[in-house]
Amino acid sequence: MGTIKLIICKNENEISDLASKIIVDLVNNKKKSNLGLATGSSPIGTYKKIIEKYNNCEVCLKHVRTFNLDEYLDLKKDDFKNSYEYYMDENLFSKTDIRKKRTFFPTMLGNKPNDDYSKFEDKIKKYGKIDIQLLGLGTNGHIGFNEPGSAIDTRTRIVDLAQSTIDSNSRYFKSKEDVPKRAVSMGLGTILEAEKILLIAFGKEKAEAIKNFFTKEEFHEDLPMSSLWNHKNVYIIIDEQAASKINKDKLSNFLIENE
Ligand code: GLP
């Protein structure tokens, strides 16, 4: 079996079921797990299912540590609701027993503001490594906020957002002018140090990036997702629409069944 395992699900619900199951199974086997978490619309269903499992007493999350991929910089003062910290509180943290002091963002370490991003990396290392890194996918192929042109060995740092990312993320803001132009993101090098990577994507907007990923079969700077070819344990969990442009002979090389 190759280093990349592709699972094609019928829809978003099936993707969320599978991703949440993988994460909950990990936490049930290792209660002090280190979870690398993502934002955007893609992981919302996964977080909902984790909350359901928590409410059904199928998992206890109070010992996990979470490390988020990225956070905006320069958000307007009254726009806290667009911060990824707020997103995580709303979509996961406040609805489970995850302890706030064990949640880490590149710009916050627990409850403390952080602008020395090497300290964020030190925090990950202090607890070993990230056991599972959950990733979404930008339409331009970005992961975290690592835009096209990011080098394979980049670490957590300030990044400029690509215009296509600003345009795409403007749906969450009052106007395009309100979208920050900068963020702090784990680097590709940081992401690749995780033990296991789960990338989830659905919808036809992601089909081109997914197709390009399978065409390249190695890292190219113009497609940050292609850095995942340098990792040994990657699950790409997508729906039929996102998979619709993958070359047929590539499919058989990487496709595995969703048991
Ligand atoms: C943002 C985040 C990414 C995310 C991407 C895709 O730019 N920084 O981590 O993967 O959006 O978002 P969505 O899941 O809404 O398509």
Side-chain angles (χ1 to χ4, degrees):
M1 191 182 294
T3 58
I4 299 286
K5 290 160 275 273
L6 169 66
I7 300 172
I8 302 180
C9 297
K10 275 197 211 69
N11 50 36
E12 178 191 349
N13 188 51
E14 217 177 278
I15 294 173
S16 306
D17 258 341
L18 178 58
S20 63
K21 184 175 181 309
I22 295 173
I23 293 170
V24 162
D25 283 352
L26 166 77
V27 177
N28 282 335
N29 280 314
K30 184 182 175 191
K31 63 181 183 173
K32 290 188 178 178
S33 294
N34 300 318
L35 304 179
L37 299 179
T39 53
S41 52
S42 307
I44 288 181
T46 301
Y47 296 149
K48 278 202 178 118
K49 307 250 176 199
I50 294 176
I51 294 166
E52 268 170 40
K53 291 182 205 303
Y54 165 73
N55 286 335
N56 292 336
C57 302
E58 290 170 45
V59 65
C60 159
L61 296 151
K62 71 178 176 204
H63 298 290
V64 303
R65 299 174 202 101
T66 69
F67 298 89
N68 263 80
L69 274 172
D70 47 15
E71 179 60 286
Y72 285 119
L73 282 179
D74 314 323
L75 268 176
K76 288 197 169 160
K77 280 213 165 49
D78 59 355
D79 200 9
F80 185 67
K81 291 194 169 170
N82 265 311
S83 72
Y84 286 160
E85 201 191 333
Y86 183 84
Y87 167 108
M88 290 306 306
D89 276 340
E90 284 293 293
N91 290 299
L92 183 68
F93 296 163
S94 68
K95 296 177 171 133
T96 64
D97 56 350
I98 290 178
R99 300 286 154 88
K100 184 80 183 154
K101 65 177 181 187
R102 298 201 184 98
T103 65
F104 304 105
F105 291 79
T107 52
M108 294 286 287
L109 291 179
N111 295 319
K112 296 200 185 78
N114 170 50
D115 58 9
D116 174 358
Y117 309 119
S118 65
K119 284 198 180 143
F120 178 71
E121 300 254 346
D122 292 344
K123 196 56 111 178
I124 299 174
K125 287 196 189 100
K126 176 175 171 192
Y127 296 120
K129 43 164 72 178
I130 289 178
D131 294 294
I132 287 188
Q133 177 64 58
L134 184 63
L135 294 177
L137 176 65
T139 47
N140 66 357
H142 75 215
I143 51 176
F145 268 133
N146 293 284
E147 300 286 20
S150 301
I152 191 80
D153 57 355
T154 40
R155 311 300 310 181
T156 305
R157 69 208 184 288
I158 295 178
V159 292
D160 293 320
L161 302 191
Q163 190 56 46
S164 58
T165 300
I166 294 173
D167 294 345
S168 154
N169 290 5
S170 64
R171 65 199 140 124
Y172 299 112
F173 291 80
K174 280 196 210 107
S175 74
K176 210 175 266 188
E177 287 65 50
D178 290 340
V179 186
K181 297 190 171 39
R182 300 190 307 159
V184 179
S185 179
M186 281 189 202
L188 296 177
T190 324
I191 292 170
L192 292 175
E193 283 169 6
E195 194 63 33
K196 181 186 223 168
I197 295 180
L198 300 186
L199 181 140
I200 56 175
F202 49 83
K204 59 180 182 333
E205 298 76 21
K206 307 289 168 79
E208 193 65 24
I210 297 282
K211 178 191 90 175
N212 292 338
F213 173 78
F214 283 102
T215 309
K216 289 182 191 291
E217 284 198 51
E218 61 179 15
F219 176 62
H220 286 259
E221 275 192 8
D222 59 354
L223 189 77
M225 177 195 177
S226 66
S227 58
L228 302 182
W229 287 111
N230 290 25
H231 194 279
K232 288 198 168 57
N233 197 7
V234 178
Y235 287 78
I236 297 190
I237 308 174
I238 59 179
D239 73 347
E240 288 166 1
Q241 286 193 324
S244 59
K245 294 188 178 173
I246 306 173
N247 199 313
K248 294 273 175 310
D249 50 295
K250 303 281 180 188
L251 271 181
S252 53
N253 288 343
F254 302 106
L255 197 60
I256 61 166
E257 292 297 316
N258 178 14
E259 287 132 18

